[in-house]
Every structure is written in structure tokens, then in C-alpha cells.
């Protein structure tokens, strides 16, 4: 790994435990709007199911929830979007040992973060976790005007660092957005297995597959 100069991460379900974060948000939503129900377990499961691990557009998600769930009174859509922007960010949870691993790697490499999502939500989570200073450069897709797996978002990071693809390694959980996207520009990749299954259509495999970030201390 002597040729590697920078390690670049995905955010959701790589550095941030997106599963626990959205679960925490779901419980806040239920506590606020469904206190009139004796049992909310089915509602919780349905919200998480409709969210599609974060890949459902949130405006569409809340339209669906307004139609499906047994609200005592239907709140305005805009109210729910504001609730999400505030409460989801405040529910942020780090992946186990995420900060320790990144700070360990900063002793040897420059560090970056590339994440798809809304600027205010993604930076909100980053600041809620207090990790902004752990990265030499952060790119959020809405702010950049391009999102993964588009090769251009990876080139933005490479241009900022002044490095070639071969000098960077990218770590993420999504086989297409992260692994195939980064590989398309020539970066080596490490896939962290979380919720997204590998897809047989992907022809470029990761350099390593891990299940916990702590494994990076051994690999890098």
C-alpha cells in the first residue's frame, strides 16, 4: 500500500450507522405523532420498509406515509419534511470504531468523504457527530451537482487532492454507487458489507471485503 496517498470514504452505512440513525428517527416520529396507538411495532417496520435503506426520495416517502399510516390528524407534508430534517440529523449514530479508525489512518494518509444526499442533511449529520475535522475534503452530491456513481464526483476528489486514481482507495457499502463508481475512474476499493447485496452485473470486484471498519487497521 506504499503507493496509496489518500483514503476516501462513503458516509451512510460506512462511517455513519444509517440503519441505527433512521431507526432512532422512526422512534422519534412515532413518539411525536402516534401516541394515540397502543402498539406501534407494525408502523415502525412499515416506515423502515418504505424508506428502502435511505434510497427512497424523502418527499415521496412522506407522501406514502401520510396515505398509509393511521394518523390521529394528518400533519402537513411540509411539517413532516421539517421534522425529518431536524430529528433525523439529531438521531445520528457512528459506525462502531469509525472515528478511531479514521483518526488512525490520518497518521498515514489524507482522508476524504464523498456522500450522496442533501447538503443540509449530510453536513448536519457530519456536524452532529463532530467529525468534520477528521477529513481533509468532503463532497456532498447536492452541493457538487453530481452524485455517485457518476465518475465526475470521484474526479472532483482526485482533482482536489492532486492525486491519480491509483493513489487513492475508496471505501463504501453500496456495490454500484461506491464500488463500481470508484472503480470506473481507476480507484482501488474496499466494500463494507452492511445492507446492500452484491449484484452479479458488477464486473469489477473490490480489493477487499470487510464487515467492520476495525479491519481497515490491518489492511491499510
Amino acid at each position: 500500500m506504499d503507493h496509496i496517498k489518500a483514503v476516501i470514504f462513503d458516509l451512510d452505512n460506512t462511517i455513519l450507522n444509517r440503519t441505527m440513525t433512521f431507526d432512532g428517527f422512526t422512534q422519534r416520529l412515532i413518539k411525536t405523532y402516534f401516541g394515540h396507538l397502543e402498539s406501534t411495532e407494525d408502523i415502525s417496520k412499515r416506515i423502515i420498509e418504505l424508506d428502502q435503506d435511505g434510497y427512497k426520495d424523502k418527499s415521496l416517502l412522506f407522501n406514502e406515509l401520510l396515505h398509509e399510516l393511521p394518523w390521529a390528524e394528518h400533519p402537513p407534508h411540509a411539517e413532516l419534511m421539517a421534522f425529518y430534517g431536524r430529528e433525523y440529523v439529531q438521531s445520528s449514530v457512528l459506525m462502531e470504531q469509525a472515528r478511531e479508525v479514521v483518526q488512525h489512518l490520518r497518521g498515514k494518509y489524507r482522508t476524504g468523504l464523498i456522500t450522496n444526499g442533501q447538503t443540509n442533511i449530510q453536513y448536519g449529520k457530519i456536524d452532529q457527530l463532530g467529525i468534520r475535522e477528521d477529513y481533509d475534503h468532503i463532497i456532498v452530491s447536492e452541493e457538487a451537482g453530481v452524485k455517485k456513481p457518476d465518475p465526475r464526483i470521484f474526479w472532483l476528489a482526485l482533482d482536489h487532492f492532486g492525486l491519480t486514481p491509483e493513489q487513492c482507495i475508496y471505501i463504501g457499502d453500496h456495490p454500484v454507487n461506491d464500488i463500481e463508481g470508484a472503480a470506473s475512474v481507476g480507484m482501488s476499493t474496499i466494500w463494507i458489507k452492511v445492507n446492500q447485496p452484491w449484484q452479479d452485473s458488477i464486473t469489477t470486484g473490490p480489493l477487499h471485503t470487510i464487515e467492520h471498519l476495525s479491519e481497515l487497521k490491518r489492511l491499510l
Side-chain angles (χ1 to χ4, degrees):
M1 289 292 180
D2 291 344
H3 63 290
I4 298 296
K5 304 300 180 185
V7 179
I8 305 173
F9 294 87
D10 170 47
L11 178 62
D12 293 309
N13 275 337
T14 301
I15 295 297
L16 174 135
N17 190 321
R18 205 269 169 190
T19 302
M20 291 183 65
T21 298
F22 191 77
D23 182 68
F25 162 75
T26 298
Q27 297 313 310
R28 290 176 184 226
L29 182 73
I30 288 172
K31 183 178 180 180
T32 302
Y33 291 101
F34 296 97
H36 60 288
L37 300 178
E38 289 186 9
S39 175
T40 57
E41 183 177 349
D42 289 344
I43 291 178
S44 178
K45 289 180 180 178
R46 186 57 175 157
I47 294 170
I48 292 169
E49 179 184 21
L50 287 172
D51 178 60
Q52 296 178 354
D53 199 33
Y55 292 95
K56 172 73 66 68
D57 176 83
K58 292 305 170 289
S59 181
L60 176 59
L61 172 65
F62 286 113
N63 274 330
E64 293 175 345
L65 295 180
L66 281 168
H67 282 92
E68 282 201 28
L69 301 186
W71 307 84
E73 293 184 11
H74 283 72
H77 184 272
E79 178 182 319
L80 290 180
M81 291 296 291
F83 183 90
Y84 171 76
R86 179 179 67 254
E87 301 295 334
Y88 175 58
V89 164
Q90 292 180 7
S91 301
S92 298
V93 178
L94 276 171
M95 282 292 210
E96 185 178 358
Q97 295 190 39
R99 194 152 199 206
E100 294 90 333
V101 169
V102 173
Q103 291 178 344
H104 170 78
L105 294 176
R106 279 177 68 83
K108 297 188 286 184
Y109 310 101
R110 300 175 74 182
T111 55
L113 196 68
I114 302 176
T115 176
N116 284 353
Q118 299 175 26
T119 303
N120 64 323
I121 296 292
Q122 299 305 83
Y123 278 118
K125 290 185 292 187
I126 289 166
D127 289 336
Q128 178 73 21
L129 295 169
I131 61 172
R132 191 186 285 240
E133 300 306 316
D134 292 346
Y135 301 91
D136 297 304
H137 189 50
I138 297 172
I139 298 175
V140 178
S141 64
E142 183 182 58
E143 184 178 54
V146 61
K147 65 180 182 179
K148 300 177 293 183
D150 192 311
R152 290 175 295 173
I153 198 167
F154 297 98
W155 280 111
L156 287 174
L158 291 168
D159 290 344
H160 174 85
F161 285 125
L163 298 173
T164 66
E166 294 77 17
Q167 293 176 303
C168 299
I169 194 160
Y170 189 83
I171 301 162
D173 74 298
H174 197 283
V176 174
N177 291 349
D178 295 318
I179 304 308
E180 189 173 48
S184 72
V185 302
M187 289 186 190
S188 295
T189 61
I190 294 177
W191 180 43
I192 179 168
K193 292 176 63 176
V194 184
N195 296 332
Q196 295 296 317
W198 191 259
Q199 300 180 26
D200 293 337
S201 60
I202 300 173
T203 57
T204 302
L207 187 63
H208 301 286
T209 297
I210 62 175
E211 295 186 359
H212 303 284
L213 285 173
S214 59
E215 298 174 58
L216 294 177
K217 293 181 178 180
R218 170 177 55 84
L219 296 173
L220 300 175

